Amino acid sequence: MNCPRDNTPLRQAGYTHACDACGGAWVVDEVLVPLLEERANALIELEWKPRHADEIRACPACASPMQTVALGSVALDRCPPHGVWFDAGELAAALKEAKHFRAEPAHPAKTHESLLHKLGKLLSVD
Ligand SMILES: [Zn+2]
Ligand SMILES: [Zn+2]
């Protein structure tokens, strides 16, 4: 896969594919949600809002035009079957906002578990 901005080949970096030229990152949905949930310490539901953009980029996976969307205050490009493109710094910004994406508790057992996990974190002073 190549970077949708500058066509540089993307490099596997942990759970993401990063572009060394522009600092952007490609993240698939199946990875993005757990990443944000871990950061939020809760189940989350991503609310993609359409946004206007003059520049439409092509999906690195299928080359289709990506949707221009916003997640919280972070502007992103997304190809729903494949993943989401984060420009440099946007992934960090989305992770920072992760706690705002909390979902209604749909899975009581798992929510309970993450609440306990959170309590544990609150109680441990570092
Ligand atoms: Zn790039
Ligand atoms: Zn695609």
Side-chain angles (χ1 to χ4, degrees):
M1 290 193 295
N2 292 337
C3 174
R5 292 186 70 185
D6 48 50
N7 221 30
T8 301
L10 298 178
R11 172 179 59 82
Q12 175 107 38
Y15 296 117
T16 72
H17 288 84
C19 174
D20 289 327
C22 67
W26 176 251
V27 187
V28 298
D29 277 24
E30 301 88 82
V31 166
L32 179 61
V33 170
L35 261 183
L36 291 170
E37 284 182 341
E38 189 186 274
R39 185 59 70 98
N41 244 318
L43 296 178
I44 57 157
E45 195 162 355
L46 299 183
E47 197 189 328
W48 302 101
K49 296 198 196 86
R51 74 179 165 92
H52 174 76
D54 293 325
E55 190 192 354
I56 304 293
R57 293 170 180 160
C59 169
C62 69
S64 297
M66 287 195 281
Q67 297 172 355
T68 51
V69 293
L71 186 59
S73 66
V74 186
L76 301 167
D77 302 285
R78 184 181 187 225
C79 179
H82 294 118
V84 184
W85 176 257
F86 291 85
D87 281 336
E90 286 180 343
L91 182 55
L95 286 170
K96 234 180 248 175
E97 290 188 23
K99 61 180 182 295
H100 300 304
F101 307 145
R102 282 207 177 116
E104 296 299 316
H107 309 285
K110 205 175 168 192
T111 305
H112 184 62
E113 194 180 297
S114 54
L115 279 176
L116 281 178
H117 183 68
K118 193 182 166 200
L119 265 178
K121 274 203 167 169
L122 283 174
L123 294 173
S124 64
V125 182
D126 45 7

